Amino acid sequence: EIRKIVNDSWIYEDDSAEERERKRKLFDNIYFSLQYITEYETNITEFMTGELSRYYTEDDLLDKLVSTGFGTALGGFGVTYEEFLVKASIFRTNPIRSKIGRKEGVQLDDLYYVYEYLLDEKSGKIEKKLKGTIRATNKIGRNDKITDGNSPTTKFYQTYGRVLKPGYSLVYMGNFGGDFKLGYESGNVGGLFLRMDARISEVFKIRSSFAFLDVAYDTREYFIPWGFGEADVSFLRYGFGLAKGIMLTRNIELRPYAGCGYEKALSTSFQSTELEGVKNLYVKYGANISINLSLKFKIFVGLGYYSFIGNPVNKNKQELSYSWSEMFSGREGQTIQFGLKFGM
């Protein structure tokens, strides 16, 4: 109803003086209530003190206060309340661009769902169909100072879906992102593993960058020298690292990674010996390729390589005089990975 009144009160250049006055009175009499929803706080003391204060005028600081506060609020209720979701449309493709930018609070790797709206001829209702997902690159339009229609565009890259077309609608879904991998690793080092990747693009200002944590479990039989003989050994690996996503197509992603961690060996044969609680530092690197099966469900395969650094230490933090691969023959080198991936 309010939208209709606003439209009816819009003044055009060719309106007569009487029509302008009528519309002006109509607009002046518009009344609507406001409902309190929530509030957000932001800290800008870093802009008011220290070295930065030498380079900013009071007007600069006030501008920074307003823009920072607006960005904080938009980032909060902009993903919580439907009425405040940033909505736009694709302006052109190859590459994908839209006329939103800094004014709408767009940040690197922001996630947008892309919809096509269709009229159901039977019901007469408009239905929306998800056509894909896109994320913002670091080519963000500087439209915060633009007041006419010549707004610059923001460049996006597609992470899921079908071929997108100009006019499709965008809906902002937040800056979150990450995924879980559950898989199996085969090779001299292997076993079941779980890995969590969290998007950290805003930290390094590099699109589709991740930090990851992983844990793995493996059991094997080894012949241990120095009088131990055959032993059933369980291996527990835990580590962290960094990864970089590269979209090869709109549904296939290559993600190189590098990381480090510890592998711990457990066996009843090691109890009360110098091998009890033994562990060794490792570094690893490799790459995975994932294929979208649905919005949040993917399969992946990959290659990796493990290298153990230095000599192992036991639970008493004593360094042993032999290497990990001498204890567990050939336990290093290339691996093959495969499994399922869940997330965005």
Side-chain angles (χ1 to χ4, degrees), residues 9 38 54 92 116 151 179 251 301 303 320-321 334 341:
S9 62
T38 186
R54 300 180 183 180
R92 66 165 63 103
E116 181 183 19
S151 176
D179 52 62
N251 286 296
V301 295
L303 296 175
L320 306 184
S321 59
Q334 182 174 304
K341 185 164 81 169

Side-chain angles (χ1 to χ4, degrees), residues 59-109:
D59 288 341
D60 291 334
L61 294 175
L62 181 60
D63 182 66
K64 183 67 71 173
L65 168 63
V66 174
S67 62
T68 303
F70 177 78
T72 300
L74 182 63
F77 56 67
V79 297
T80 306
Y81 302 98
E82 172 70 22
E83 294 80 1
F84 292 100
L85 288 175
V86 174
K87 299 177 182 178
S89 62
I90 293 179
F91 180 65
R92 66 165 63 103
T93 56
N94 298 320
I96 301 169
R97 291 187 177 274
S98 178
K99 286 191 173 185
I100 55 175
R102 295 184 182 275
K103 185 169 63 176
E104 291 78 16
V106 178
Q107 299 182 51
L108 176 62
D109 264 359

Side-chain angles (χ1 to χ4, degrees), residues 6-299:
V6 172
N7 290 336
D8 291 343
S9 62
W10 193 267
I11 297 176
Y12 297 95
E13 292 183 0
D14 57 352
D15 285 345
S16 65
E18 293 79 6
E19 182 69 5
R20 288 170 179 262
E21 184 62 25
R22 184 190 70 81
K23 289 184 176 180
R24 186 176 291 108
K25 288 181 179 180
L26 181 63
F27 183 82
D28 290 341
N29 290 323
I30 292 177
Y31 173 81
F32 53 89
S33 60
L34 295 177
Q35 179 183 358
Y36 174 80
I37 297 178
T38 186
E39 65 182 29
Y40 293 89
E41 295 182 1
T42 185
N43 186 349
I44 61 146
T45 54
E46 60 181 318
F47 299 113
M48 297 188 297
T49 61
E51 293 295 323
L52 287 177
S53 62
R54 300 180 183 180
Y55 306 105
Y56 288 104
T57 65
E58 290 186 0
D59 288 341
D60 291 334
L61 294 175
L62 181 60
D63 182 66
K64 183 67 71 173
L65 168 63
V66 174
S67 62
T68 303
F70 177 78
T72 300
L74 182 63
F77 56 67
V79 297
T80 306
Y81 302 98
E82 172 70 22
E83 294 80 1
F84 292 100
L85 288 175
V86 174
K87 299 177 182 178
S89 62
I90 293 179
F91 180 65
R92 66 165 63 103
T93 56
N94 298 320
I96 301 169
R97 291 187 177 274
S98 178
K99 286 191 173 185
I100 55 175
R102 295 184 182 275
K103 185 169 63 176
E104 291 78 16
V106 178
Q107 299 182 51
L108 176 62
D109 264 359
D110 276 356
L111 174 66
Y112 291 80
Y113 281 13
V114 181
Y115 292 100
E116 181 183 19
Y117 287 85
L118 300 171
L119 176 64
D120 188 324
E121 295 182 356
K122 293 183 179 180
S123 65
K125 296 181 179 180
I126 295 179
E127 299 179 350
K128 64 178 182 180
K129 291 189 176 181
L130 181 66
K131 307 300 289 187
T133 60
I134 59 177
R135 287 186 179 271
T137 69
N138 55 8
K139 306 295 184 182
I140 299 173
R142 295 179 174 270
N143 62 350
D144 46 341
K145 306 294 184 181
I146 303 298
T147 58
D148 56 25
N150 298 317
S151 176
T153 59
T154 293
K155 182 179 177 182
F156 295 85
Y157 65 99
Q158 189 171 358
T159 56
Y160 164 77
R162 301 182 179 181
V163 175
L164 304 181
K165 299 178 182 179
Y168 282 0
S169 296
L170 313 182
V171 178
Y172 174 62
M173 299 304 295
N175 191 253
F176 63 92
D179 52 62
F180 291 90
K181 294 183 181 71
L182 178 62
Y184 184 81
E185 203 162 19
S186 177
N188 290 333
V189 180
L192 292 172
F193 72 90
L194 176 66
R195 172 172 147 178
M196 179 186 72
D197 288 37
R199 195 175 295 270
I200 56 169
S201 306
E202 273 296 305
V203 177
F204 298 106
K205 302 301 179 184
I206 300 174
R207 83 180 193 187
S208 196
S209 54
F210 300 85
F212 69 81
L213 299 173
D214 60 3
V215 60
Y217 181 79
D218 187 19
T219 57
R220 304 203 183 181
E221 185 178 275
Y222 280 95
F223 179 83
I224 312 297
W226 317 293
F228 286 92
E230 296 287 342
D232 291 323
V233 184
S234 298
F235 296 92
L236 177 65
R237 288 194 307 281
Y238 47 92
F240 65 94
L242 299 174
K244 173 70 172 71
I246 303 169
M247 295 304 301
L248 301 180
T249 72
R250 59 180 181 271
N251 286 296
I252 300 177
E253 181 199 51
L254 172 67
R255 191 177 296 183
Y257 66 85
C260 64
Y262 277 97
E263 181 170 71
K264 187 174 185 178
L266 304 170
S267 175
T268 54
S269 301
F270 298 164
Q271 293 180 1
S272 301
T273 71
E274 66 173 357
L275 297 188
E276 185 173 2
V278 67
K279 64 180 180 180
N280 208 139
L281 176 69
Y282 68 81
V283 295
K284 66 175 182 176
Y285 55 88
N288 297 316
I289 290 181
S290 61
I291 302 174
N292 295 332
L293 299 181
S294 65
L295 178 61
K296 297 182 180 180
F297 184 69
K298 308 167 178 64
I299 58 173

